[in-house]
Coordinates of all heavy atoms in Angstrom, one line a residue:
L61 N 98.4 -139.2 197.9 CA 97.3 -139.3 198.9 C 96.1 -140.0 198.4 O 95.7 -139.6 197.2 CB 96.9 -137.9 199.5 CG 98.0 -137.1 200.2 CD1 97.6 -135.7 200.6 CD2 98.6 -137.9 201.4
K62 N 95.5 -140.9 199.1 CA 94.4 -141.7 198.6 C 93.3 -141.7 199.6 O 93.3 -142.4 200.6 CB 94.8 -143.1 198.3 CG 96.0 -143.2 197.3 CD 96.6 -144.6 197.2 CE 97.8 -144.7 196.3 NZ 98.4 -146.1 196.3
N63 N 92.2 -140.8 199.4 CA 91.1 -140.8 200.2 C 91.4 -140.7 201.7 O 90.9 -141.4 202.5 CB 90.2 -141.9 199.9 CG 89.6 -141.9 198.5 OD1 89.3 -140.9 198.0 ND2 89.6 -143.1 197.9
V64 N 92.3 -139.8 202.0 CA 92.7 -139.6 203.4 C 91.6 -138.9 204.2 O 91.2 -137.8 203.9 CB 94.0 -138.8 203.5 CG1 94.3 -138.4 204.9 CG2 95.1 -139.7 202.9
S65 N 91.3 -139.4 205.4 CA 90.3 -138.8 206.2 C 90.7 -139.0 207.7 O 91.0 -140.0 208.1 CB 88.9 -139.5 206.1 OG 88.4 -139.3 204.7
F66 N 90.6 -137.9 208.5 CA 90.9 -137.9 209.9 C 90.4 -136.6 210.5 O 90.1 -135.7 209.8 CB 92.3 -138.3 210.2 CG 93.3 -137.1 209.9 CD1 93.7 -136.2 210.9 CD2 93.8 -137.0 208.6 CE1 94.6 -135.2 210.5 CE2 94.7 -136.0 208.3 CZ 95.1 -135.1 209.2
C67 N 90.4 -136.6 211.8 CA 90.0 -135.4 212.6 C 90.9 -135.3 213.8 O 91.2 -136.2 214.4 CB 88.5 -135.6 213.0 SG 87.8 -134.2 213.8
V68 N 91.3 -134.1 214.1 CA 92.1 -133.7 215.3 C 91.3 -132.7 216.1 O 90.9 -131.7 215.6 CB 93.5 -133.3 215.0 CG1 94.2 -132.8 216.3 CG2 94.3 -134.3 214.2
E69 N 91.0 -133.1 217.3 CA 90.2 -132.1 218.2 C 91.1 -131.1 218.8 O 92.3 -131.2 218.9 CB 89.4 -132.9 219.3 CG 88.4 -134.0 218.8 CD 87.3 -133.3 218.0 OE1 87.0 -132.1 218.3 OE2 86.7 -134.0 217.2
H70 N 90.5 -130.0 219.2 CA 91.3 -128.9 219.8 C 92.0 -129.4 221.0 O 91.4 -130.1 221.9 CB 90.3 -127.8 220.2 CG 91.0 -126.7 221.0 ND1 91.9 -125.8 220.5 CD2 90.8 -126.3 222.3 CE1 92.3 -125.0 221.4 NE2 91.7 -125.2 222.5
G71 N 93.2 -129.2 221.2 CA 94.0 -129.6 222.3 C 94.6 -131.0 222.2 O 95.5 -131.4 223.1
E72 N 94.3 -131.8 221.2 CA 94.8 -133.1 221.0 C 96.3 -133.0 220.6 O 96.7 -132.1 219.9 CB 94.1 -133.9 219.9 CG 93.0 -134.8 220.5 CD 92.5 -135.8 219.5 OE1 92.0 -135.4 218.4 OE2 92.7 -137.0 219.7
K73 N 97.1 -134.0 221.0 CA 98.4 -134.2 220.5 C 98.5 -135.6 219.8 O 98.3 -136.6 220.4 CB 99.4 -134.2 221.7 CG 99.5 -132.8 222.4 CD 100.5 -132.8 223.4 CE 100.5 -131.4 224.1 NZ 101.6 -131.3 225.1
V74 N 98.6 -135.5 218.5 CA 98.4 -136.7 217.6 C 99.8 -136.9 216.8 O 100.4 -135.9 216.3 CB 97.3 -136.5 216.6 CG1 97.2 -137.8 215.7 CG2 96.0 -136.3 217.4
V75 N 100.2 -138.1 216.7 CA 101.4 -138.4 215.9 C 101.0 -139.2 214.6 O 100.1 -139.9 214.5 CB 102.4 -139.3 216.7 CG1 101.8 -140.7 217.0 CG2 103.7 -139.3 216.1
L76 N 101.8 -138.8 213.6 CA 101.6 -139.3 212.2 C 102.8 -140.1 211.8 O 103.9 -139.6 211.8 CB 101.3 -138.2 211.2 CG 101.1 -138.5 209.7 CD1 99.8 -139.2 209.6 CD2 101.1 -137.2 208.9
V77 N 102.7 -141.4 211.6 CA 103.8 -142.2 211.3 C 103.6 -143.0 210.0 O 102.5 -143.1 209.5 CB 104.2 -143.2 212.4 CG1 104.4 -142.5 213.8 CG2 103.0 -144.2 212.6
G78 N 104.7 -143.5 209.4 CA 104.6 -144.3 208.3 C 106.0 -144.3 207.6 O 106.9 -143.5 207.9
P79 N 106.3 -145.3 206.7 CA 107.6 -145.4 206.1 C 107.8 -144.2 205.1 O 106.9 -143.4 204.8 CB 107.5 -146.7 205.3 CG 106.0 -146.9 205.0 CD 105.3 -146.4 206.2
N80 N 109.0 -144.1 204.6 CA 109.3 -143.0 203.6 C 108.4 -143.3 202.4 O 108.2 -144.4 202.0 CB 110.7 -143.0 203.2 CG 111.7 -142.6 204.3 OD1 111.3 -141.8 205.1 ND2 112.9 -143.1 204.3
G81 N 107.9 -142.1 201.9 CA 107.0 -142.3 200.7 C 105.5 -142.6 201.0 O 104.7 -142.8 200.1
A82 N 105.2 -142.6 202.3 CA 103.8 -143.0 202.7 C 102.9 -141.8 202.4 O 101.6 -142.1 202.3 CB 103.8 -143.4 204.2
G83 N 103.3 -140.6 202.3 CA 102.5 -139.5 202.0 C 102.3 -138.5 203.2 O 101.6 -137.5 203.1

Side-chain angles (χ1 to χ4, degrees):
L61 299 176
K62 304 171 184 176
N63 295 320
V64 169
S65 297
F66 69 96
C67 181
V68 177
E69 298 297 334
H70 175 69
E72 263 197 298
K73 295 183 178 182
V74 181
V75 67
L76 181 66
V77 302
N80 289 334

